Amino acid sequence: MTVPTAVLQSGLLPEGLNVSFKLAPAIIVLGMLLLFLAIGFVFRVADTENMWVAGRSIGNVENGMAIGANWMSAASYLGMAALIALSGFYGLAFVVGWTTGYFILLIFMAAQLRRFGKYTAPDFVGDRFNSDGARAIAAITTFLIGFVYAIGQARGMGLVGLYIFGDIGLPGLSGYQSMVVFMMAITVGYLTISGMLGATKNMAVQYVILIVAFLAGLFVTGFTQGYSTLLPQIEYGMLISELGTEFSEPFVNEPYYLWIATCFSLVVGTCGLPHVLVRFYTVESERTARWSTVWGLFFICLLYWSAPAFAAFGTNLYGEQIGAVYGDPGMTSAAGDVIVVLAAQLANLPQWFVGLIAAGGIAAAIATTAGLFIAGSSAISHDIYTNIINPEATQRQQVLVGRLSIIALGVITTLAALDPAAPIAALVSYAFSLAGAVLFPMFFLGMWWENTNRPGALAGMTTGLIVWTIPMINEVLPNYLGGVSAPLSAPLETWVPAIGSALIAVPVVFVVTIVVSLVTEEPDLETKRVVRQCHSPEPMGQHRTAEDVVATDGGDAPADD
């Protein structure tokens, strides 16, 4: 997918957005940020169990709310409505892809991963395939996913912050860039104190804030403008004929192949995202893991059913009050990324109410950034430092390295977000393609085919990284190089788009992993027993893992052994 030419640059503000300091919204947002810091302090941690998996103490509803907040990032709250507004039918690929992924997680992975019982996604890969090399690749991939994904969150926080605090720039920075620095500093601050335990408590609060703000904004905007009464998620269809073919007709803006590629990449990417999978490690049993996924899917759908309606309302208001939505110049990606806030503003809703909607967008971005940074820092601290570099590390040392990793991830994300190369949803989709290409095949095959072995995993993950990197170099890297236009190869962009590269990568990785596993030595018997135990109908005790059962009870041996 070619990045729109109207990409946000340092001094460009979203057209139509009232960029000025507003006292009531500022009080709401600052109060919310202080609340996050206070919760992080109250639930501050000092040991690895609470730092990485919240002591495996989270219940199903609370974990479902955390899944919802962790999942519904700025890409869901802001970027999804933006893509639907800018590209119409193509944007529905994000609704379909992101929702479908959770059904696969629920059926094939949630309970099994909890029974395996590790701290992190790379921890699973390293122990399942008995390979520090595979663990290192998974850890680096996890850190890279956190970095790419969080750039979109930082962009969302910066854009929404402009509405609330105005174009007040720090020395040498624009107003947008100053907002990015400020919001990321708050996020990194509470995370370094709280770890996963405090982050989970905050996510439950953040979910309440974001869903109340989003739904209230949708209902009030629709009602006051005469678009809807009680069910805007259904009634917005009456607007479709007024919004033009660019919004309503399938595949006018983007081809069918790109829709399929994007949708597929989002489905498998959902099942490979480390900050999503780690939520199954924070609960006490596999039953809780399943039910928390069900609750999470329900909480997510509340917003996903509503985003297309908000996009329709915002697009119509923009066309009436600002200018043409499509064509040249049309709506910029910067304005699209704040269409939810912009719609409420153009509907002449009270300033404090628009501020509440903006606060919801910031809460969504911060919640997801928290999950990403915890996953990324645990990959560095637990999987690389503790398991590979210093196996004798004390808990104090592990927590210290984890906190330093959070700070490092925050710094490089902030620097990249000062002048991002794409809209929010596109940035996030690159991370999904990476997770789908590299990690999803390892989780799926590792859990469902006991003969998947170390050479197969190493070959598959390396192949996935290569296939993902090629379109990123083709489409994204030129945006950071002066005098080079993107894409470098138009045919490559058409058939292996960066935003949907997992459509090609996943089948290739599956084939490579299976073929290499078949022609090399099978995993040892104990590994097979652990995999078999992950599918056992017998429930395990709270806080027990498949490895515990195999070590104490022997587990179920595979039938052919």
Side-chain angles (χ1 to χ4, degrees), residues 6 8 34 39 195 240 318 326 343 348 387 393-394 446 500 508:
L8 175 71
L34 288 174
I39 292 173
I240 295 295
Y318 184 100
Y326 307 106
N348 294 316
N387 281 287
T394 64
V508 172

mmCIF file of all heavy atoms in Angstrom, residues 6 8 34 39 195 240 318 326 343 348 387 393-394 446 500 508:
data_model
loop_
_atom_site.group_PDB
_atom_site.id
_atom_site.type_symbol
_atom_site.label_atom_id
_atom_site.label_comp_id
_atom_site.label_asym_id
_atom_site.label_seq_id
_atom_site.Cartn_x
_atom_site.Cartn_y
_atom_site.Cartn_z
ATOM 1 N N ALA A 6 0.089 12.992 1.536
ATOM 2 C CA ALA A 6 -0.154 13.984 2.581
ATOM 3 C C ALA A 6 0.223 13.443 3.950
ATOM 4 O O ALA A 6 -0.519 13.527 4.905
ATOM 5 C CB ALA A 6 -1.618 14.408 2.574
ATOM 6 N N LEU A 8 1.916 13.368 7.501
ATOM 7 C CA LEU A 8 2.188 14.429 8.465
ATOM 8 C C LEU A 8 3.676 14.719 8.545
ATOM 9 O O LEU A 8 4.476 13.834 8.769
ATOM 10 C CB LEU A 8 1.671 14.021 9.842
ATOM 11 C CG LEU A 8 2.002 14.989 10.983
ATOM 12 C CD1 LEU A 8 1.195 16.265 10.829
ATOM 13 C CD2 LEU A 8 1.726 14.337 12.324
ATOM 14 N N LEU A 34 -2.450 11.699 35.638
ATOM 15 C CA LEU A 34 -2.046 11.579 37.045
ATOM 16 C C LEU A 34 -2.622 10.314 37.669
ATOM 17 O O LEU A 34 -1.962 9.664 38.498
ATOM 18 C CB LEU A 34 -2.498 12.818 37.824
ATOM 19 C CG LEU A 34 -1.724 14.112 37.536
ATOM 20 C CD1 LEU A 34 -2.384 15.296 38.257
ATOM 21 C CD2 LEU A 34 -0.260 13.977 37.977
ATOM 22 N N ILE A 39 -1.877 4.877 39.937
ATOM 23 C CA ILE A 39 -2.125 3.428 39.920
ATOM 24 C C ILE A 39 -0.815 2.679 39.735
ATOM 25 O O ILE A 39 -0.568 1.653 40.378
ATOM 26 C CB ILE A 39 -3.128 3.076 38.795
ATOM 27 C CG1 ILE A 39 -4.509 3.645 39.126
ATOM 28 C CG2 ILE A 39 -3.221 1.554 38.616
ATOM 29 C CD1 ILE A 39 -5.524 3.494 38.012
ATOM 30 N N GLY A 195 5.476 -2.102 35.996
ATOM 31 C CA GLY A 195 5.552 -3.403 35.346
ATOM 32 C C GLY A 195 4.176 -3.887 34.900
ATOM 33 O O GLY A 195 3.223 -3.109 34.769
ATOM 34 N N ILE A 240 -24.779 6.692 3.496
ATOM 35 C CA ILE A 240 -23.851 6.126 2.526
ATOM 36 C C ILE A 240 -23.975 6.782 1.145
ATOM 37 O O ILE A 240 -22.983 7.136 0.511
ATOM 38 C CB ILE A 240 -24.042 4.602 2.410
ATOM 39 C CG1 ILE A 240 -23.674 3.913 3.727
ATOM 40 C CG2 ILE A 240 -23.217 4.042 1.266
ATOM 41 C CD1 ILE A 240 -22.224 4.020 4.103
ATOM 42 N N TYR A 318 -17.015 16.754 7.669
ATOM 43 C CA TYR A 318 -15.835 17.338 7.030
ATOM 44 C C TYR A 318 -16.208 17.895 5.660
ATOM 45 O O TYR A 318 -15.825 19.017 5.295
ATOM 46 C CB TYR A 318 -14.752 16.266 6.897
ATOM 47 C CG TYR A 318 -13.437 16.775 6.325
ATOM 48 C CD1 TYR A 318 -12.369 17.070 7.156
ATOM 49 C CD2 TYR A 318 -13.266 16.932 4.951
ATOM 50 C CE1 TYR A 318 -11.161 17.526 6.638
ATOM 51 C CE2 TYR A 318 -12.064 17.392 4.419
ATOM 52 C CZ TYR A 318 -11.023 17.685 5.272
ATOM 53 O OH TYR A 318 -9.829 18.138 4.757
ATOM 54 N N TYR A 326 -12.396 13.749 -0.810
ATOM 55 C CA TYR A 326 -11.590 12.984 -1.759
ATOM 56 C C TYR A 326 -11.116 13.878 -2.896
ATOM 57 O O TYR A 326 -11.648 14.961 -3.132
ATOM 58 C CB TYR A 326 -12.389 11.798 -2.292
ATOM 59 C CG TYR A 326 -12.966 10.945 -1.180
ATOM 60 C CD1 TYR A 326 -14.319 10.984 -0.882
ATOM 61 C CD2 TYR A 326 -12.138 10.144 -0.406
ATOM 62 C CE1 TYR A 326 -14.839 10.221 0.155
ATOM 63 C CE2 TYR A 326 -12.643 9.377 0.636
ATOM 64 C CZ TYR A 326 -14.002 9.423 0.909
ATOM 65 O OH TYR A 326 -14.511 8.676 1.947
ATOM 66 N N ALA A 343 -14.898 15.053 14.284
ATOM 67 C CA ALA A 343 -16.348 14.933 14.088
ATOM 68 C C ALA A 343 -17.105 15.564 15.251
ATOM 69 O O ALA A 343 -18.089 16.294 15.047
ATOM 70 C CB ALA A 343 -16.733 13.460 13.948
ATOM 71 N N ASN A 348 -20.235 20.746 16.905
ATOM 72 C CA ASN A 348 -20.436 21.827 17.880
ATOM 73 C C ASN A 348 -20.818 21.307 19.260
ATOM 74 O O ASN A 348 -21.637 21.918 19.974
ATOM 75 C CB ASN A 348 -21.506 22.812 17.382
ATOM 76 C CG ASN A 348 -21.075 23.562 16.134
ATOM 77 O OD1 ASN A 348 -19.946 24.030 16.045
ATOM 78 N ND2 ASN A 348 -21.965 23.656 15.152
ATOM 79 N N ASN A 387 18.279 -15.356 30.106
ATOM 80 C CA ASN A 387 18.373 -16.721 29.579
ATOM 81 C C ASN A 387 19.606 -16.971 28.727
ATOM 82 O O ASN A 387 20.012 -18.124 28.560
ATOM 83 C CB ASN A 387 17.119 -17.051 28.768
ATOM 84 C CG ASN A 387 15.940 -17.416 29.645
ATOM 85 O OD1 ASN A 387 15.888 -18.482 30.231
ATOM 86 N ND2 ASN A 387 14.993 -16.497 29.761
ATOM 87 N N ALA A 393 21.572 -14.086 36.844
ATOM 88 C CA ALA A 393 21.076 -12.756 37.214
ATOM 89 C C ALA A 393 20.065 -12.834 38.342
ATOM 90 O O ALA A 393 19.196 -13.706 38.359
ATOM 91 C CB ALA A 393 20.438 -12.084 35.998
ATOM 92 N N THR A 394 20.192 -11.921 39.300
ATOM 93 C CA THR A 394 19.229 -11.848 40.401
ATOM 94 C C THR A 394 17.949 -11.180 39.902
ATOM 95 O O THR A 394 17.925 -10.547 38.838
ATOM 96 C CB THR A 394 19.800 -11.025 41.558
ATOM 97 O OG1 THR A 394 19.997 -9.665 41.120
ATOM 98 C CG2 THR A 394 21.143 -11.599 42.024
ATOM 99 N N GLY A 446 4.142 -24.947 16.778
ATOM 100 C CA GLY A 446 4.719 -25.397 18.043
ATOM 101 C C GLY A 446 3.699 -26.008 18.975
ATOM 102 O O GLY A 446 4.005 -26.944 19.732
ATOM 103 N N GLY A 500 0.495 -5.880 3.903
ATOM 104 C CA GLY A 500 -0.133 -7.206 3.891
ATOM 105 C C GLY A 500 0.825 -8.307 3.478
ATOM 106 O O GLY A 500 0.413 -9.306 2.881
ATOM 107 N N VAL A 508 4.773 -19.503 3.008
ATOM 108 C CA VAL A 508 6.175 -19.846 2.756
ATOM 109 C C VAL A 508 6.845 -20.332 4.033
ATOM 110 O O VAL A 508 7.566 -21.345 4.046
ATOM 111 C CB VAL A 508 6.932 -18.636 2.168
ATOM 112 C CG1 VAL A 508 8.436 -18.925 2.088
ATOM 113 C CG2 VAL A 508 6.392 -18.283 0.784
#
